[in-house]
Amino acid sequence: MNRLIRGSVAAALAASVALGVASAPAAAAPKAAHVKAEHKAAKAGKAKAAKADRAKAGKVSARKQARLTKAERRLTRHAKRKHAYLGRLLDARKLERLEDTVEAAVRTNIEGDIAELAGLIEGIAPAAGEDQTKPVDVRAYRPEVYHAVINQLRMATRLTDRAASAEQAGALVDLVTTLSGFDAETKRAQLRASKRMLISVTTAVEEAEETQTGETGTGETGTGETGNGETGTDAGETGADGTP
């Protein structure tokens, strides 16, 4: 996929998330029912058109299929399975439940991977020697990584309103931007690094919340000695001593 497009999408997403973090951490007002219905209908129309395009792009003509060698036919099957897997991801409920800007960025990446795989399927040629490098290209596409990406994005975006400091908010913006740029060619090491970052920020946010709760809920001011401690005792002693 065009890396410039992904870069622009990530930049736009970073600006959107940063704006959300900078605003008050109040919950966003729920969308009106008719707005949700219109949004859902528009999505359904786009999804139907995209599905038809994907089906057309993933086909190989019978004449060309007959010319392929056994290795190339096997390669084509692998590529088509990954192509279909990505197509199903676009209809996944977990993707639709993401925040709109984040969802749009992930959809862009998935659609880019679909287009690249369609090009590979179409470009598989029966020329001798070309099939030796093709399997490496197909194996580089791992559509299943999107499940981890979506899960991490869901947790990271939920943490943005709970960030207790500018440092935590900035880390979350960076993490969401990074995750939104991941695609089917993302390496396992990249996913592990983003997961470590998510765990680190989550721990920091939870510790800050616990500290704040401890200071406000069980502080010395509310149940200290001043209200019912030595002052009352002294008053009692004064009264007893002062009585002839």
Side-chain angles (χ1 to χ4, degrees):
M1 181 182 176
N2 192 323
R3 305 295 171 180
L4 293 177
I5 295 177
R6 283 179 180 157
S8 62
V9 170
L13 178 67
S16 174
V17 175
L19 181 62
V21 170
S23 62
K31 294 180 181 178
H34 71 279
V35 175
K36 287 184 178 179
E38 291 175 359
H39 184 61
K40 189 173 182 180
K43 267 189 179 179
K46 291 180 180 178
K48 187 174 181 181
K51 190 173 183 180
D53 292 340
R54 293 196 301 270
K56 183 178 179 181
K59 288 183 178 179
V60 178
S61 66
R63 180 178 297 179
K64 185 171 183 178
Q65 184 75 21
R67 293 200 309 265
L68 297 178
T69 65
K70 183 178 179 179
E72 289 163 346
R73 285 195 296 271
R74 184 170 60 251
L75 172 59
T76 302
R77 286 196 301 270
H78 291 333
K80 289 175 73 174
R81 278 200 293 267
K82 293 174 185 289
H83 185 277
Y85 191 114
L86 289 166
R88 291 192 297 271
L89 273 176
L90 287 176
D91 300 326
R93 293 289 300 275
K94 64 193 303 183
L95 177 59
E96 295 178 356
R97 287 195 290 265
L98 288 175
E99 189 273 332
D100 289 347
T101 308
V102 177
E103 177 191 351
V106 176
R107 283 187 181 278
T108 299
N109 295 339
I110 295 176
E111 289 167 355
D113 290 327
I114 288 174
E116 289 182 357
L117 278 169
L120 285 177
I121 294 170
E122 183 65 25
I124 294 174
E130 289 192 7
D131 59 326
Q132 295 176 2
T133 57
K134 293 289 185 178
V136 177
D137 294 334
V138 173
R139 286 198 298 266
Y141 290 88
R142 299 170 50 243
E144 64 274 12
V145 304
Y146 277 110
H147 293 292
V149 170
I150 292 171
N151 289 338
Q152 291 185 30
L153 276 169
R154 186 179 69 251
M155 290 185 283
T157 51
R158 286 177 179 176
L159 278 175
T160 53
D161 289 340
R162 296 167 55 192
S165 66
E167 182 181 359
Q168 292 176 3
L172 286 168
V173 170
D174 292 342
L175 178 59
V176 171
T177 304
T178 299
L179 287 168
S180 300
F182 283 172
D183 55 25
E185 296 181 87
T186 299
K187 307 299 182 184
R188 290 182 176 87
Q190 293 175 288
L191 281 176
R192 287 195 295 267
S194 63
K195 185 176 181 179
R196 286 194 297 269
M197 174 61 72
L198 177 60
I199 291 173
S200 175
V201 178
T202 301
T203 301
V205 170
E206 290 176 349
E207 288 177 350
E209 289 176 342
E210 290 175 1
T211 301
Q212 185 177 8
T213 301
E215 290 176 351
T216 57
T218 58
E220 293 183 358
T221 303
T223 58
E225 296 178 349
T226 304
N228 54 10
E230 295 178 358
T231 303
T233 303
D234 292 340
E237 291 176 358
T238 303
D241 297 336
T243 303

